[in-house]
Amino acid sequence: MTEETPGFDEKPDVPSGATPDDAEPQAASPSGEGAAPAGDASAQSAGLTAQLDQVRTALGERTADLQRLQAEYQNYRRRVDRDRVTVKEIAVANLLSELLPVLDDIGRAREHGELVGGFKSVAESLETVAAKMGLQQFGKEGEPFDPTIHEALMHSYAPDVTETTCVAILQPGYRFGERTIRPARVAVAEPQPGAQTVKADEAETSTGASGASGASAADDKESGGPDEG
């Protein structure tokens, strides 16, 4: 049997070279290790939130760039389409302008009764094609003179007009859409210089006469009628 030495308490084994006080911090270390992961989680959450904000900002910038590029492309397409239509209209207008002398010859031949046979068929086909391309003829006798679409080559006075009027169409005008290819060349007539004054005097005279007759009738009515002899 072994005998225990009285007066000595049992102590935990301590590694060699270490003091007995080193055992206490080792016992407290587990509680400290449990607090560290909570701090790391909050730091990671903050970092992820910052990264998410950066990604959202970058996404918004890229979306704005894409929308701007799309708008620029749409404007470019509209401009190209508009220019294409304009170029086409100019080309057609130039072609029709070159055909106007031929159409004038056809019109003169029709007036003189020379539009017969095969020449008539070809002329009518040419006029039909020009009309399909959008060529429109204008200019009629009796319409008011408009300097924007008429070109006056002859001038005279006439008593039966009240404004400057086209009295003869020397050469018809042509337009393509809203574009005037050639103005109508016309002879115009203006009212005679004294015609309006004479008409105004006649109107005043007739008005005065009717007023006087009305006043005389009113006087006769008030006096009981004309005196009987």
Side-chain angles (χ1 to χ4, degrees), residues 74-184:
Q74 294 295 335
N75 293 333
Y76 168 75
R77 286 191 58 184
R78 294 191 189 97
R79 185 168 59 252
V80 169
D81 294 339
R82 184 172 60 251
D83 293 343
R84 184 183 297 111
V85 172
T86 302
V87 170
K88 180 180 178 181
E89 290 179 353
I90 293 175
V92 174
N94 292 335
L95 175 61
L96 294 176
S97 298
E98 297 296 330
L99 292 178
L100 295 186
V102 180
L103 296 176
D104 292 338
D105 292 339
I106 293 174
R108 284 190 290 267
R110 182 179 286 110
E111 291 176 358
H112 291 83
E114 300 176 355
L115 198 63
V116 294
F119 177 57
K120 178 180 180 181
S121 177
V122 173
E124 291 178 350
S125 298
L126 179 60
E127 291 175 340
T128 301
V129 172
K132 287 183 179 180
M133 295 179 67
L135 185 65
Q136 298 177 358
Q137 182 179 359
F138 66 90
K140 295 181 180 180
E141 295 182 2
E143 63 184 6
F145 175 75
D146 185 355
T148 60
I149 59 175
H150 296 140
E151 181 181 355
L153 300 182
M154 298 178 64
H155 175 269
S156 62
Y157 294 98
D160 56 343
V161 297
T162 58
E163 59 180 347
T164 305
T165 306
C166 300
V167 294
I169 305 299
L170 306 179
Q171 202 172 42
Y174 290 94
R175 66 168 60 96
F176 173 66
E178 300 296 331
R179 186 193 305 268
T180 300
I181 298 179
R182 187 183 71 185

